[in-house]
Amino acid sequence: MNTQALIKKSSQFLFNNLKRLPIVFERGEGCWLYDLEGKKYLDLVAGIAVNVLGHAYPKMSEVIAEQSKKLIHTSNLYQVRYQVELAEKLASISFADKSFFCNSGAEANEAALKLARKYQKVNGHPERFKLLTFEGSFHGRTLAMINANASPKFRKGFEPDVPGFVYLPFGDLQVVQQLLEKDTEIAALLVEPIQGEGGINIPPSGYLEGLRKLCDQHGVLLMLDEVQTAIGRTGKMFAYEHTSIQPDVMTLAKGLAGGIPIGALLATDKVAAAFQPGDHASTFGGNPFATRVALCVLEGVQNELLKSVQDLGLYFLNALKDLQTKKDIIKEVRGLGLMLGIELKQTLPNVVQQAMQEGLLINCTHDTVLRFVPPLILKKEEIDWALGVLEKIL
């Protein structure tokens, strides 16, 4: 079946809830994808920051093949060896003591919200049920999480709004302080260390430290949504490691198993203790297959890639800034590690398609921000090639 035939079947049999580009990939290798007709594309999207080890990473493929022949799923009615080993690994490299595994970032954030409400209730504050989030944030597309996303566009058509969500501007500590001083119903604050879907927005220096202090002063949990920023994406295993703070709760997903669906809720012992048997669960979450692959991905990122992400990220960032000096359309270049973006002065509706025609896969978010979240195995010469394409199309 060729590309056009498959696109025709897609419109016939699939929900029309996604705006897909007219391209079908057959295989991948490293940072490159190949379509049904054999054309190759440099992948600077990586499944939206998921494929941290690229495509067909040899060690990951070996683990997937081996585990698929042994055991894929048993449910959480029983102990799961690799789930325990993954939780132990995450505890050893993060602030957290306990992990809960699910299937996606939205599920992890849903679990975090439930945990925050339960924690406040068992600690004598049943009145604390609200979740504070920030303009430009993105926490998922379940019914609760579209209400956690501060942007009204995610909720349009799905009204009435779910109660219990409060929104404030991102990066402004004073407004958070003013809210917490008057609203005693806030249970937790959920924030991305760097906003991804919102346009690669980096908060001012000291912002997370300020939020930590305010949360401590007012008995509010600090929950970090590291669904996109974790697993080496910013040059550290977790983005909060660029600061001096530790959260109470953190959510993970995208890069955790390099493309195999998994999500995780991490917390300190004190906070995790609020969940008792029956409070929360997941049928597929943390199965032997996904958790063993996640262990392989963590090992690959930790042992081989963190330093190179820092170096390549800086090289890529500076190259984009050089491009800005040549192209008046570029308003700003920003990002950290291999989570980078360029904000354009105006919308260029065909820029993603033009890049695709040149063999470069990029993503446009927030209408005017080109987002680059490539595999962490990206090479310098691949960055140079991508910059040549961007210079041509902008």
Side-chain angles (χ1 to χ4, degrees):
M1 185 180 297
N2 63 27
T3 296
Q4 291 307 314
L6 196 138
I7 290 172
K8 185 177 179 181
K9 278 187 177 289
S10 173
S11 63
Q12 181 179 358
F13 293 112
L14 293 177
F15 270 51
N16 187 32
N17 60 319
L18 295 168
K19 190 175 181 181
R20 303 173 196 265
L21 292 165
I23 188 171
V24 184
F25 296 115
E26 184 173 53
R27 67 182 181 90
E29 183 177 353
C31 294
W32 296 84
L33 285 166
Y34 297 81
D35 68 15
L36 287 178
E37 284 73 34
K39 181 178 177 179
K40 62 187 293 188
Y41 302 81
L42 181 61
D43 183 9
L44 299 191
V45 180
I48 313 181
V50 166
N51 304 105
V52 291
L53 298 181
H55 304 282
Y57 188 77
K59 178 62 178 177
M60 185 174 161
S61 298
E62 181 183 315
V63 167
I64 288 172
E66 181 181 308
Q67 188 60 35
S68 69
K69 295 174 183 174
K70 293 172 63 177
L71 191 65
I72 290 178
H73 178 76
T74 58
S75 89
N76 286 301
L77 293 172
Y78 316 102
Q79 294 289 344
V80 179
R81 172 187 168 182
Y82 295 115
Q83 182 180 131
V84 175
E85 292 185 13
L86 179 59
E88 182 181 22
K89 178 67 177 178
L90 289 168
S92 73
I93 60 175
S94 77
F95 74 97
D97 302 304
K98 295 281 197 302
S99 292
F100 164 79
F101 296 105
C102 50
N103 307 290
S104 69
E107 280 186 71
N109 285 330
E110 287 266 356
L113 175 55
K114 287 180 65 177
L115 180 63
R117 289 188 174 185
K118 188 73 188 298
Y119 170 83
Q120 296 291 2
K121 188 169 186 177
V122 300
N123 283 281
H125 296 286
E127 78 283 3
R128 290 187 177 275
F129 72 101
K130 294 179 181 176
L131 179 67
L132 170 58
T133 63
F134 297 92
E135 293 173 4
S137 64
F138 181 79
H139 302 294
R141 292 184 184 273
T142 61
L143 188 58
M145 287 304 111
I146 62 170
N147 283 270
N149 303 333
S151 174
K153 73 177 183 179
F154 295 108
R155 304 193 295 278
K156 187 178 181 181
F158 303 104
E159 301 88 350
D161 290 348
V162 174
F165 295 90
V166 179
Y167 316 114
L168 289 177
F170 182 60
D172 188 337
L173 279 175
Q174 188 174 5
V175 296
V176 179
Q177 181 177 356
Q178 290 171 347
L179 176 78
L180 294 181
E181 286 175 351
K182 68 180 182 183
D183 191 339
T184 57
E185 295 180 335
I186 303 295
L189 176 161
L190 181 62
V191 61
E192 299 157 276
I194 300 173
Q195 291 185 338
E197 185 70 20
I200 313 295
N201 299 318
I202 299 178
S205 177
Y207 182 63
L208 291 179
E209 288 86 347
L211 292 180
R212 175 74 273 177
K213 186 177 179 181
L214 289 172
C215 286
D216 290 340
Q217 289 173 347
H218 294 277
V220 171
L221 293 181
L222 176 60
M223 307 198 302
L224 296 185
D225 180 339
E226 290 232 26
V227 166
Q228 186 165 152
T229 54
I231 322 300
R233 175 59 55 191
T234 66
K236 301 279 189 181
M237 186 61 79
F238 310 103
Y240 78 83
E241 295 178 280
H242 291 283
T243 75
S244 60
I245 64 106
Q246 293 187 334
D248 301 301
V249 175
M250 179 170 68
T251 55
L252 307 175
K254 290 185 179 294
L256 183 54
I260 302 300
I262 189 172
L265 168 69
L266 279 62
T268 61
D269 267 331
K270 179 182 177 183
V271 178
F275 268 176
Q276 295 297 306
D279 281 340
H280 197 62
S282 170
T283 295
F284 296 104
N287 70 33
F289 185 75
T291 49
R292 186 175 177 197
V293 176
L295 279 164
C296 170
V297 171
L298 284 179
E299 182 181 357
V301 172
Q302 186 178 28
N303 295 340
E304 303 172 21
L305 295 176
L306 292 180
K307 179 64 169 62
S308 70
V309 170
Q310 295 171 20
D311 295 341
L312 283 174
L314 187 59
Y315 179 81
F316 200 171
L317 182 72
N318 288 331
L320 289 172
K321 288 181 176 177
D322 287 342
L323 182 64
Q324 184 183 15
T325 65
K326 305 174 186 174
K327 298 291 179 179
D328 188 58
I329 186 75
I330 298 177
K331 178 180 179 181
E332 186 180 16
V333 175
R334 54 183 181 256
L336 186 63
L338 288 175
M339 184 176 181
L340 301 170
I342 56 178
E343 182 172 0
L344 305 176
K345 293 178 180 176
Q346 64 188 61
T347 302
L348 293 179
N350 297 320
V351 67
V352 172
Q353 290 88 338
Q354 289 178 21
M356 189 179 76
Q357 289 168 3
E358 297 292 333
L360 176 65
L361 301 176
I362 58 175
N363 167 246
C364 184
T365 186
H366 214 60
D367 296 332
T368 56
V369 179
L370 300 183
R371 175 173 51 172
F372 310 104
V373 283
L376 305 185
I377 59 171
L378 189 69
K379 297 181 176 66
K380 187 178 288 187
E381 54 266 32
E382 292 168 334
I383 294 173
D384 293 338
W385 184 85
L387 264 293
V389 174
L390 290 171
E391 185 169 357
K392 179 179 178 181
I393 64 175
L394 289 178

